[in-house]
mmCIF file of all heavy atoms in Angstrom:
data_model
loop_
_atom_site.group_PDB
_atom_site.id
_atom_site.type_symbol
_atom_site.label_atom_id
_atom_site.label_comp_id
_atom_site.label_asym_id
_atom_site.label_seq_id
_atom_site.Cartn_x
_atom_site.Cartn_y
_atom_site.Cartn_z
ATOM 1 N N GLY A 1 119.754 104.685 107.713
ATOM 2 C CA GLY A 1 120.184 104.803 106.344
ATOM 3 C C GLY A 1 120.016 106.230 105.769
ATOM 4 O O GLY A 1 119.559 106.446 104.640
ATOM 5 N N ILE A 2 120.527 107.207 106.560
ATOM 6 C CA ILE A 2 120.354 108.585 106.114
ATOM 7 C C ILE A 2 121.118 108.947 104.833
ATOM 8 O O ILE A 2 120.682 109.815 104.049
ATOM 9 C CB ILE A 2 120.651 109.634 107.250
ATOM 10 C CG1 ILE A 2 122.176 109.428 107.679
ATOM 11 C CG2 ILE A 2 119.747 109.389 108.465
ATOM 12 C CD1 ILE A 2 122.622 110.451 108.709
ATOM 13 N N ILE A 3 122.292 108.305 104.648
ATOM 14 C CA ILE A 3 123.040 108.573 103.414
ATOM 15 C C ILE A 3 122.280 108.114 102.179
ATOM 16 O O ILE A 3 122.126 108.850 101.229
ATOM 17 C CB ILE A 3 124.430 107.842 103.497
ATOM 18 C CG1 ILE A 3 125.217 108.318 104.709
ATOM 19 C CG2 ILE A 3 125.181 108.079 102.152
ATOM 20 C CD1 ILE A 3 125.583 109.750 104.685
ATOM 21 N N ASP A 4 121.799 106.900 102.235
ATOM 22 C CA ASP A 4 121.035 106.382 101.065
ATOM 23 C C ASP A 4 119.730 107.219 100.852
ATOM 24 O O ASP A 4 119.352 107.434 99.677
ATOM 25 C CB ASP A 4 120.661 104.909 101.271
ATOM 26 C CG ASP A 4 121.887 104.021 101.157
ATOM 27 O OD1 ASP A 4 122.863 104.466 100.528
ATOM 28 O OD2 ASP A 4 121.794 102.874 101.615
ATOM 29 N N TYR A 5 119.093 107.625 101.923
ATOM 30 C CA TYR A 5 117.911 108.435 101.742
ATOM 31 C C TYR A 5 118.207 109.793 101.024
ATOM 32 O O TYR A 5 117.492 110.185 100.133
ATOM 33 C CB TYR A 5 117.289 108.703 103.116
ATOM 34 C CG TYR A 5 115.987 109.538 103.014
ATOM 35 C CD1 TYR A 5 114.806 108.943 102.659
ATOM 36 C CD2 TYR A 5 115.946 110.916 103.287
ATOM 37 C CE1 TYR A 5 113.613 109.670 102.555
ATOM 38 C CE2 TYR A 5 114.809 111.650 103.181
ATOM 39 C CZ TYR A 5 113.644 111.013 102.782
ATOM 40 O OH TYR A 5 112.448 111.761 102.656
ATOM 41 N N ALA A 6 119.347 110.438 101.449
ATOM 42 C CA ALA A 6 119.709 111.706 100.807
ATOM 43 C C ALA A 6 119.959 111.436 99.319
ATOM 44 O O ALA A 6 119.489 112.202 98.458
ATOM 45 C CB ALA A 6 120.934 112.271 101.461
ATOM 46 N N ILE A 7 120.736 110.418 98.997
ATOM 47 C CA ILE A 7 121.026 110.081 97.592
ATOM 48 C C ILE A 7 119.788 109.818 96.794
ATOM 49 O O ILE A 7 119.649 110.300 95.623
ATOM 50 C CB ILE A 7 122.027 108.883 97.525
ATOM 51 C CG1 ILE A 7 123.354 109.313 98.143
ATOM 52 C CG2 ILE A 7 122.232 108.432 96.114
ATOM 53 C CD1 ILE A 7 124.312 108.143 98.374
ATOM 54 N N SER A 8 118.804 109.139 97.427
ATOM 55 C CA SER A 8 117.570 108.825 96.710
ATOM 56 C C SER A 8 116.749 110.059 96.406
ATOM 57 O O SER A 8 115.953 110.100 95.458
ATOM 58 C CB SER A 8 116.690 107.882 97.564
ATOM 59 O OG SER A 8 116.090 108.567 98.674
ATOM 60 N N LYS A 9 117.013 111.164 97.161
ATOM 61 C CA LYS A 9 116.294 112.395 96.966
ATOM 62 C C LYS A 9 117.092 113.345 96.056
ATOM 63 O O LYS A 9 116.684 114.526 95.867
ATOM 64 C CB LYS A 9 116.028 113.121 98.286
ATOM 65 C CG LYS A 9 115.043 112.399 99.231
ATOM 66 C CD LYS A 9 113.639 112.551 98.694
ATOM 67 C CE LYS A 9 112.606 111.974 99.591
ATOM 68 N NZ LYS A 9 111.193 112.181 99.096
ATOM 69 N N GLY A 10 118.209 112.868 95.544
ATOM 70 C CA GLY A 10 119.042 113.702 94.669
ATOM 71 C C GLY A 10 119.869 114.739 95.399
ATOM 72 O O GLY A 10 120.421 115.663 94.813
ATOM 73 N N ILE A 11 120.066 114.526 96.698
ATOM 74 C CA ILE A 11 120.835 115.405 97.545
ATOM 75 C C ILE A 11 122.204 114.755 97.842
ATOM 76 O O ILE A 11 122.288 113.578 98.174
ATOM 77 C CB ILE A 11 120.130 115.770 98.836
ATOM 78 C CG1 ILE A 11 118.776 116.393 98.561
ATOM 79 C CG2 ILE A 11 120.976 116.686 99.718
ATOM 80 C CD1 ILE A 11 118.804 117.661 97.768
ATOM 81 N N LYS A 12 123.239 115.547 97.734
ATOM 82 C CA LYS A 12 124.584 115.069 97.992
ATOM 83 C C LYS A 12 124.960 115.220 99.440
ATOM 84 O O LYS A 12 125.015 116.359 99.910
ATOM 85 C CB LYS A 12 125.619 115.819 97.122
ATOM 86 C CG LYS A 12 125.371 115.693 95.582
ATOM 87 C CD LYS A 12 126.308 116.482 94.782
ATOM 88 C CE LYS A 12 126.008 116.321 93.281
ATOM 89 N NZ LYS A 12 126.916 117.097 92.432
ATOM 90 N N PRO A 13 125.203 114.105 100.118
ATOM 91 C CA PRO A 13 125.529 114.185 101.559
ATOM 92 C C PRO A 13 126.982 114.552 101.831
ATOM 93 O O PRO A 13 127.885 114.086 101.168
ATOM 94 C CB PRO A 13 125.186 112.761 102.053
ATOM 95 C CG PRO A 13 125.372 111.864 100.913
ATOM 96 C CD PRO A 13 125.062 112.692 99.681
ATOM 97 N N MET A 14 127.158 115.400 102.858
ATOM 98 C CA MET A 14 128.426 115.704 103.457
ATOM 99 C C MET A 14 128.410 115.315 104.933
ATOM 100 O O MET A 14 127.328 115.410 105.562
ATOM 101 C CB MET A 14 128.748 117.189 103.243
ATOM 102 C CG MET A 14 128.658 117.622 101.797
ATOM 103 S SD MET A 14 128.997 119.405 101.598
ATOM 104 C CE MET A 14 130.759 119.428 101.904
ATOM 105 N N VAL A 15 129.557 114.890 105.469
ATOM 106 C CA VAL A 15 129.542 114.419 106.831
ATOM 107 C C VAL A 15 130.679 115.014 107.639
ATOM 108 O O VAL A 15 131.680 115.488 107.112
ATOM 109 C CB VAL A 15 129.668 112.854 106.890
ATOM 110 C CG1 VAL A 15 128.479 112.219 106.182
ATOM 111 C CG2 VAL A 15 130.968 112.390 106.248
ATOM 112 N N TRP A 16 130.425 114.992 109.001
ATOM 113 C CA TRP A 16 131.418 115.556 109.958
ATOM 114 C C TRP A 16 132.417 114.501 110.341
ATOM 115 O O TRP A 16 132.163 113.316 110.436
ATOM 116 C CB TRP A 16 130.618 116.004 111.196
ATOM 117 C CG TRP A 16 131.412 116.672 112.292
ATOM 118 C CD1 TRP A 16 131.720 117.975 112.453
ATOM 119 C CD2 TRP A 16 131.995 115.954 113.418
ATOM 120 N NE1 TRP A 16 132.440 118.142 113.627
ATOM 121 C CE2 TRP A 16 132.664 116.921 114.213
ATOM 122 C CE3 TRP A 16 132.078 114.584 113.823
ATOM 123 C CZ2 TRP A 16 133.321 116.602 115.407
ATOM 124 C CZ3 TRP A 16 132.754 114.298 114.943
ATOM 125 C CH2 TRP A 16 133.378 115.280 115.731
ATOM 126 N N GLY A 17 133.670 114.951 110.711
ATOM 127 C CA GLY A 17 134.637 114.044 111.251
ATOM 128 C C GLY A 17 135.586 114.830 112.208
ATOM 129 O O GLY A 17 135.703 116.054 112.137
ATOM 130 N N TYR A 18 136.282 114.105 113.082
ATOM 131 C CA TYR A 18 137.213 114.695 114.044
ATOM 132 C C TYR A 18 138.570 114.641 113.468
ATOM 133 O O TYR A 18 139.017 113.657 112.827
ATOM 134 C CB TYR A 18 137.124 113.941 115.354
ATOM 135 C CG TYR A 18 137.738 114.718 116.511
ATOM 136 C CD1 TYR A 18 137.009 115.614 117.235
ATOM 137 C CD2 TYR A 18 139.098 114.529 116.845
ATOM 138 C CE1 TYR A 18 137.552 116.280 118.310
ATOM 139 C CE2 TYR A 18 139.686 115.260 117.885
ATOM 140 C CZ TYR A 18 138.900 116.121 118.604
ATOM 141 O OH TYR A 18 139.450 116.814 119.653
ATOM 142 N N SER A 19 139.374 115.702 113.652
ATOM 143 C CA SER A 19 140.683 115.872 113.009
ATOM 144 C C SER A 19 141.606 114.747 113.238
ATOM 145 O O SER A 19 142.347 114.315 112.321
ATOM 146 C CB SER A 19 141.294 117.181 113.466
ATOM 147 O OG SER A 19 141.456 117.205 114.830
ATOM 148 N N SER A 20 141.671 114.226 114.491
ATOM 149 C CA SER A 20 142.633 113.201 114.809
ATOM 150 C C SER A 20 142.418 111.945 113.987
ATOM 151 O O SER A 20 143.395 111.164 113.777
ATOM 152 C CB SER A 20 142.619 112.880 116.344
ATOM 153 O OG SER A 20 141.347 112.441 116.713
ATOM 154 N N ALA A 21 141.187 111.701 113.552
ATOM 155 C CA ALA A 21 140.904 110.525 112.719
ATOM 156 C C ALA A 21 141.438 110.677 111.287
ATOM 157 O O ALA A 21 141.413 109.729 110.513
ATOM 158 C CB ALA A 21 139.418 110.264 112.705
ATOM 159 N N TYR A 22 141.836 111.872 110.920
ATOM 160 C CA TYR A 22 142.311 112.173 109.545
ATOM 161 C C TYR A 22 143.753 112.629 109.539
ATOM 162 O O TYR A 22 144.235 113.159 108.541
ATOM 163 C CB TYR A 22 141.398 113.244 108.910
ATOM 164 C CG TYR A 22 140.021 112.729 108.654
ATOM 165 C CD1 TYR A 22 138.996 112.854 109.642
ATOM 166 C CD2 TYR A 22 139.643 112.171 107.410
ATOM 167 C CE1 TYR A 22 137.774 112.416 109.411
ATOM 168 C CE2 TYR A 22 138.322 111.732 107.186
ATOM 169 C CZ TYR A 22 137.435 111.845 108.207
ATOM 170 O OH TYR A 22 136.164 111.381 107.967
ATOM 171 N N PHE A 23 144.452 112.408 110.658
ATOM 172 C CA PHE A 23 145.815 112.931 110.773
ATOM 173 C C PHE A 23 146.845 111.931 110.232
ATOM 174 O O PHE A 23 147.753 112.261 109.510
ATOM 175 C CB PHE A 23 146.166 113.300 112.195
ATOM 176 C CG PHE A 23 147.390 114.195 112.294
ATOM 177 C CD1 PHE A 23 147.274 115.539 112.022
ATOM 178 C CD2 PHE A 23 148.581 113.663 112.785
ATOM 179 C CE1 PHE A 23 148.386 116.402 112.076
ATOM 180 C CE2 PHE A 23 149.679 114.503 112.853
ATOM 181 C CZ PHE A 23 149.639 115.821 112.509
ATOM 182 N N ASP A 24 146.688 110.665 110.561
ATOM 183 C CA ASP A 24 147.495 109.603 110.078
ATOM 184 C C ASP A 24 147.237 109.354 108.575
ATOM 185 O O ASP A 24 146.084 109.201 108.174
ATOM 186 C CB ASP A 24 147.326 108.326 110.853
ATOM 187 C CG ASP A 24 148.140 107.159 110.324
ATOM 188 O OD1 ASP A 24 149.359 107.139 110.588
ATOM 189 O OD2 ASP A 24 147.583 106.331 109.608
ATOM 190 N N SER A 25 148.275 109.289 107.772
ATOM 191 C CA SER A 25 148.122 109.184 106.319
ATOM 192 C C SER A 25 147.318 107.958 105.872
ATOM 193 O O SER A 25 146.365 108.052 105.104
ATOM 194 C CB SER A 25 149.468 109.167 105.635
ATOM 195 O OG SER A 25 149.419 108.950 104.284
ATOM 196 N N GLU A 26 147.697 106.746 106.376
ATOM 197 C CA GLU A 26 147.027 105.548 105.954
ATOM 198 C C GLU A 26 145.576 105.442 106.415
ATOM 199 O O GLU A 26 144.688 105.076 105.685
ATOM 200 C CB GLU A 26 147.817 104.296 106.419
ATOM 201 C CG GLU A 26 149.193 104.162 105.804
ATOM 202 C CD GLU A 26 149.145 104.201 104.243
ATOM 203 O OE1 GLU A 26 148.222 103.481 103.703
ATOM 204 O OE2 GLU A 26 149.908 104.923 103.647
ATOM 205 N N GLU A 27 145.359 105.863 107.701
ATOM 206 C CA GLU A 27 143.986 105.864 108.203
ATOM 207 C C GLU A 27 143.142 106.880 107.421
ATOM 208 O O GLU A 27 141.940 106.590 107.177
ATOM 209 C CB GLU A 27 144.021 106.250 109.693
ATOM 210 C CG GLU A 27 144.565 105.157 110.585
ATOM 211 C CD GLU A 27 143.707 103.914 110.523
ATOM 212 O OE1 GLU A 27 142.459 104.001 110.571
ATOM 213 O OE2 GLU A 27 144.280 102.793 110.408
ATOM 214 N N ARG A 28 143.717 107.998 107.097
ATOM 215 C CA ARG A 28 142.921 109.053 106.344
ATOM 216 C C ARG A 28 142.562 108.506 104.979
ATOM 217 O O ARG A 28 141.388 108.661 104.550
ATOM 218 C CB ARG A 28 143.847 110.321 106.167
ATOM 219 C CG ARG A 28 143.185 111.376 105.351
ATOM 220 C CD ARG A 28 144.011 112.640 105.370
ATOM 221 N NE ARG A 28 145.362 112.483 104.803
ATOM 222 C CZ ARG A 28 146.458 112.638 105.501
ATOM 223 N NH1 ARG A 28 146.430 112.945 106.742
ATOM 224 N NH2 ARG A 28 147.661 112.460 104.910
ATOM 225 N N LYS A 29 143.442 107.977 104.278
ATOM 226 C CA LYS A 29 143.157 107.446 102.908
ATOM 227 C C LYS A 29 142.103 106.317 102.966
ATOM 228 O O LYS A 29 141.182 106.279 102.137
ATOM 229 C CB LYS A 29 144.427 106.862 102.255
ATOM 230 C CG LYS A 29 145.432 107.981 101.915
ATOM 231 C CD LYS A 29 146.729 107.397 101.372
ATOM 232 C CE LYS A 29 147.778 108.497 101.115
ATOM 233 N NZ LYS A 29 149.081 107.950 100.714
ATOM 234 N N LYS A 30 142.208 105.469 103.963
ATOM 235 C CA LYS A 30 141.257 104.386 104.146
ATOM 236 C C LYS A 30 139.875 104.955 104.447
ATOM 237 O O LYS A 30 138.798 104.582 103.868
ATOM 238 C CB LYS A 30 141.659 103.492 105.320
ATOM 239 C CG LYS A 30 140.688 102.358 105.604
ATOM 240 C CD LYS A 30 141.177 101.547 106.804
ATOM 241 C CE LYS A 30 140.187 100.457 107.166
ATOM 242 N NZ LYS A 30 140.650 99.673 108.412
ATOM 243 N N ARG A 31 139.799 105.956 105.303
ATOM 244 C CA ARG A 31 138.538 106.634 105.670
ATOM 245 C C ARG A 31 137.905 107.334 104.516
ATOM 246 O O ARG A 31 136.701 107.192 104.253
ATOM 247 C CB ARG A 31 138.765 107.569 106.871
ATOM 248 C CG ARG A 31 137.489 108.204 107.387
ATOM 249 C CD ARG A 31 136.521 107.157 107.908
ATOM 250 N NE ARG A 31 135.395 107.769 108.578
ATOM 251 C CZ ARG A 31 134.159 107.173 108.672
ATOM 252 N NH1 ARG A 31 133.972 105.987 108.133
ATOM 253 N NH2 ARG A 31 133.248 107.763 109.320
ATOM 254 N N PHE A 32 138.682 108.024 103.724
ATOM 255 C CA PHE A 32 138.184 108.763 102.572
ATOM 256 C C PHE A 32 137.567 107.818 101.566
ATOM 257 O O PHE A 32 136.502 108.078 100.961
ATOM 258 C CB PHE A 32 139.253 109.601 101.917
ATOM 259 C CG PHE A 32 139.544 110.918 102.577
ATOM 260 C CD1 PHE A 32 140.769 111.585 102.396
ATOM 261 C CD2 PHE A 32 138.610 111.539 103.429
ATOM 262 C CE1 PHE A 32 141.035 112.763 103.033
ATOM 263 C CE2 PHE A 32 138.879 112.718 104.052
ATOM 264 C CZ PHE A 32 140.115 113.347 103.835
ATOM 265 N N LYS A 33 138.226 106.663 101.364
ATOM 266 C CA LYS A 33 137.704 105.656 100.408
ATOM 267 C C LYS A 33 136.371 105.108 100.905
ATOM 268 O O LYS A 33 135.472 104.938 100.125
ATOM 269 C CB LYS A 33 138.708 104.559 100.173
ATOM 270 C CG LYS A 33 138.299 103.593 99.039
ATOM 271 C CD LYS A 33 139.312 102.568 98.775
ATOM 272 C CE LYS A 33 138.930 101.760 97.527
ATOM 273 N NZ LYS A 33 137.540 101.314 97.448
ATOM 274 N N GLU A 34 136.287 104.830 102.191
ATOM 275 C CA GLU A 34 135.057 104.343 102.824
ATOM 276 C C GLU A 34 133.914 105.344 102.574
ATOM 277 O O GLU A 34 132.780 104.904 102.178
ATOM 278 C CB GLU A 34 135.203 104.029 104.272
ATOM 279 C CG GLU A 34 136.100 102.863 104.560
ATOM 280 C CD GLU A 34 136.430 102.773 106.089
ATOM 281 O OE1 GLU A 34 136.045 103.704 106.812
ATOM 282 O OE2 GLU A 34 137.002 101.761 106.501
ATOM 283 N N LEU A 35 134.179 106.584 102.835
ATOM 284 C CA LEU A 35 133.147 107.646 102.685
ATOM 285 C C LEU A 35 132.716 107.760 101.197
ATOM 286 O O LEU A 35 131.520 107.819 100.929
ATOM 287 C CB LEU A 35 133.693 108.969 103.170
ATOM 288 C CG LEU A 35 133.965 109.046 104.722
ATOM 289 C CD1 LEU A 35 134.540 110.430 105.036
ATOM 290 C CD2 LEU A 35 132.715 108.739 105.554
#
């Protein structure tokens, strides 16, 4: 639960991703909403 831990400490988390997972329009929009 590293995301929740960061938020509990008042720190804004940023995360890594691979380009091909963000190339397709629909998949990208879905992934951004999840994040």
Side-chain angles (χ1 to χ4, degrees):
I2 61 174
I3 300 296
D4 288 342
Y5 181 78
I7 294 170
S8 74
K9 292 289 186 176
I11 301 301
K12 299 176 181 181
M14 305 178 72
V15 298
W16 181 92
Y18 196 87
S19 58
S20 59
Y22 293 87
F23 197 76
D24 177 78
S25 175
E26 294 307 313
E27 288 297 317
R28 176 174 62 243
K29 291 173 182 176
K30 178 182 176 183
R31 184 59 173 155
F32 281 159
K33 188 176 189 312
E34 291 172 351
L35 296 178

